Structures are given as C-alpha cells and as structure tokens.
Amino acid sequence: MPQTSLEPGLIVRAQSGFFTVQTEGGLLTCKLRGRLKRGPRLGDIAAVGDRVQASRLPDGTGMVESLEPRTRALVRLDPRPQGVYQQVLLANPDQAVFVFACASPAPHLRMLDRFLVIAEKQGIPAMIVANKIDLVGREQAEALFGFYPAIGYAVIYTSARSGEGVEALRLQLAGKISALAGPSGVGKSSLLNAVQPGLGLAVREVSAFKKGRHTTTVRELFPLQGGGHVADMPGMRSLALWDTRPEELDGYFPELAPLVKLCRFNDCSHKNEPGCAVRAAVEAGRVSPQRYESYLRLRAGED
Ligand SMILES: Nc1nc2c(ncn2[C@@H]2O[C@H](COP(=O)(O)OP(=O)(O)OP(=O)(O)O)[C@@H](O)[C@H]2O)c(=O)[nH]1
Ligand SMILES: [Mg+2]
Ligand SMILES: [Zn+2]
C-alpha cells in the first residue's frame, strides 16, 4: 500500500455522505472509509464537530480514516422503522447558546426551559441570548429573562438591528465550539452576521415565517475570526426531552437539585406532598414560579 500521511482535522460541514474537513492544509472534501460504516448503526458515525484523521487522495479529495471519541454531543432522537436513531446535531460542543427574541416572536420560555434541561442532561454548558431588545427595551427584556443568571445561566441582551450586545456575544463565542439554537425567526442568522460581517447567512423576511419552515437547513460550523466555531442550528423545535424519567428531572434544574434532599419524602414529586422543600422555596420567593411551572409541566410530559 502506498504511504499516505494522515492529517488531523475538524468536520465543519456534513451533507449527504460528504464531510468537509478543516485541516492545517485547508478544506478537504471527504467520504468515510468503508470500514467505519460497518456494523449496526444506532446513530451518526460522523458529524459536524467531530475531530478526525483524514488522508488526501491523488485526485485532491479526501477520506476520513478514523474519528476521535466525542467528549459530548448535542443529539436528537429520530424514530425510524428500524428503531430510534441518534442524530448528532453537533459533536463536541463547548457550549449551547439558546437564542430567543424578546418579542416578534414572543419568547416561549417553557421551550427555553426544555432546552436548558436537554443541555443539562447532555452535559453541555448553556447560556441565553435575548435578542431583538430594540423592540421592547432593556427593562422589559430583564423582566422576561432577568432571573436566569442567578440559576447559573448567563444572559446576553442583544439586538442584531442596533448592534447592542453583539460585542459581548462575540467575546462569549471566541475560541469555543458553540451551538446557536432557538426557534425560527428569533434572529440567530442575523446575529451571526452581525458578530462576523461577511458570513452572509440567509435571513428570512418576517412574513415568510408564517409558513413555519426554517431558513437555515445545512449543518455547518463557521470559523470565527477570533478563533472558535459556531453552528447555526435549525429545527430545534423537534429536540424532545427523550429518555428522561420523571423522577430524574429535578436533577436537571440547577436551582431545584440541591433542595430535593431536604424534602420529607425521598420520592417527593414536589407537587403536593407535605414537607416539600421545593414548594417551600417557591412560596418563599427563592425559586421562580415560572421555572417551577416548567418543571411540573415537563414532568407531566407536556411541553
Ligand atoms: N427588530 C429586530 N429584528 C431582528 C433582529 N434580529 C433579527 N431580526 C429580524 O428577524 C427576522 C428573522 O431573522 P433570522 O436571522 O432569519 O432568524 P433565524 O433565527 O435565523 O431563523 P431560522 O433560520 O428560520 O431559524 C428577520 O426579518 C430579521 O431581520 C433584531 O435584533 N431586532
Ligand atoms: Mg437562520
Ligand atoms: Zn419536594
């Protein structure tokens, strides 16, 4: 066999069996070596964010020869006839950045709480971006999102339109691999274009959102000038809270988790049992009633 040198790289784009790998020597369009695809498959073998070893073929294309184990992954379960398939939205994310608009569309905070629980469960540090602050002003924006920092989730208030907060977001993204996720129309692509002029991500006309489809479809990691990469994630609506037993849910609410051991009953559901430390904290104003409500609804299997 001829000697081929392996180059380490990062998968920055995935589309129908082709993977674009960023190496020291530039971008390389690769396929997966056949032996990597053998055996039963319960999920994506390679995904955007995976670190790989690739070889360069004489025709200028490449081949992914091996993959490094993932530290963590943002995954979506995709039920298929053969079983439930784990779709990897982003491998090895350093953080999840959940973007919501202060208005237009009105923030769906229950969905935000569900995303935060998913991040906790998947072991991904999370933060929040409250965009379109130009539409409501700082005070109203803080009334909506102001209690999250005390729980441990940083909030950056931004406007892709006025530029407010864009520098703070740029700093937060620098040097990390980030998943930018949130409902359609909140301004994720607009914000990334503001963070890095020249990215040229498609931004949808407001009227087109009524159709409910996403503007952003290709899965891609964009390199940032300050170092790091960011993925503009479409389709977050279907990120379900899979495979979570009701009794483990309180562990994914950072402000509830330490209270649980103080409840009188060790199988307390924090709903109406006597001696519940969670309810006591809500009544004393130490836990946000809104977060408690999210907990109850998620536990009941609603969203
Ligand atoms: N007023 C205001 N409008 C904004 C702001 N950011 C984005 N928009 C507008 O909101 C609409 C949606 O923006 P996009 O950037 O396409 O939203 P998105 O989150 O990428 O949407 P998907 O790709 O469908 O998930 C566009 O009309 C933007 O011009 C903002 O800070 N203020
Ligand atoms: Mg978009
Ligand atoms: Zn309790």
Side-chain angles (χ1 to χ4, degrees):
M1 236 181 72
Q3 282 287 351
T4 50
S5 59
L6 289 179
E7 293 178 54
L10 174 73
I11 297 180
V12 293
R13 190 181 163 106
Q15 203 174 23
S16 25
F18 288 91
F19 298 90
T20 307
V21 177
Q22 186 193 296
T23 70
E24 288 252 319
L27 295 176
L28 198 55
T29 306
C30 298
K31 286 179 145 182
L32 292 185
R33 185 62 83 188
R35 73 181 137 70
L36 296 175
K37 294 186 270 189
R38 276 189 218 130
R41 296 173 55 182
L42 297 167
D44 291 335
I45 293 162
V48 164
D50 269 321
R51 301 204 163 269
V52 305
Q53 298 283 338
S55 60
R56 208 173 273 268
L57 306 179
D59 69 357
T61 68
M63 192 66 82
V64 171
E65 302 287 351
S66 66
L67 290 119
E68 288 179 28
R70 292 177 189 133
T71 56
R72 50 170 91 97
L74 186 61
V75 301
R76 173 163 69 191
L77 279 213
D78 183 11
R80 296 181 180 179
Q82 317 87 292
V84 180
Y85 185 89
Q86 277 204 31
Q87 202 178 12
V88 177
L89 300 176
L90 181 61
N92 305 312
D94 292 308
Q95 62 182 355
V97 178
F98 295 125
V99 184
F100 281 75
C102 296
S104 183
H108 186 345
L109 294 183
R110 196 92 58 221
M111 190 193 288
L112 170 58
D113 288 334
R114 180 158 56 86
F115 287 175
L116 291 170
V117 165
I118 290 166
E120 294 291 338
K121 180 167 172 101
Q122 301 190 359
I124 304 166
M127 59 164 301
I128 299 162
V129 168
N131 189 40
K132 306 202 188 185
I133 191 172
D134 56 291
L135 297 181
V136 301
R138 182 80 183 205
E139 204 174 316
Q140 204 182 320
E142 283 183 3
L144 288 165
F145 295 94
F147 60 87
Y148 284 100
I151 309 170
Y153 302 115
V155 180
I156 299 181
Y157 296 92
T158 62
S159 167
R161 183 148 298 174
S162 76
E164 185 175 351
V166 168
E167 180 58 23
L169 177 59
R170 190 180 290 126
L171 286 172
Q172 192 61 43
L173 298 176
K176 297 179 186 143
I177 292 186
S178 308
L180 213 72
S184 197
V186 298
K188 298 179 295 297
S189 300
S190 305
L191 273 174
L192 288 180
N193 286 335
V195 162
Q196 187 151 312
L199 269 184
L201 299 176
V203 168
R204 185 177 280 205
E205 296 302 317
V206 170
S207 58
F209 284 101
K210 303 215 173 79
K211 303 205 177 80
R213 263 186 279 114
H214 288 265
T215 318
T216 308
T217 49
V218 179
R219 203 147 301 147
E220 189 166 6
L221 262 182
F222 300 99
L224 296 171
Q225 274 145 19
H229 287 80
V230 65
D232 183 358
M233 319 281 314
M236 286 293 286
R237 187 188 286 275
S238 54
L239 248 193
L241 190 59
W242 50 276
D243 191 27
T244 301
R245 284 171 293 115
E247 57 280 15
E248 69 177 303
L249 191 62
D250 50 23
Y252 303 130
F253 280 74
E255 73 274 47
L256 305 188
L259 299 172
V260 172
K261 59 178 179 297
L262 305 175
C263 293
R264 184 177 307 163
F265 300 107
N266 63 12
D267 60 349
C268 187
S269 71
H270 321 304
K271 208 168 159 189
N272 40 33
E273 291 90 339
C276 173
V278 168
R279 286 208 359 188
V282 176
E283 276 151 28
R286 280 179 278 115
V287 162
S288 145
Q290 231 172 293
R291 288 275 293 173
Y292 176 60
E293 179 77 17
S294 285
Y295 165 77
L296 291 178
R297 292 213 187 194
L298 286 172
R299 184 172 171 131
E302 303 165 30
D303 60 18

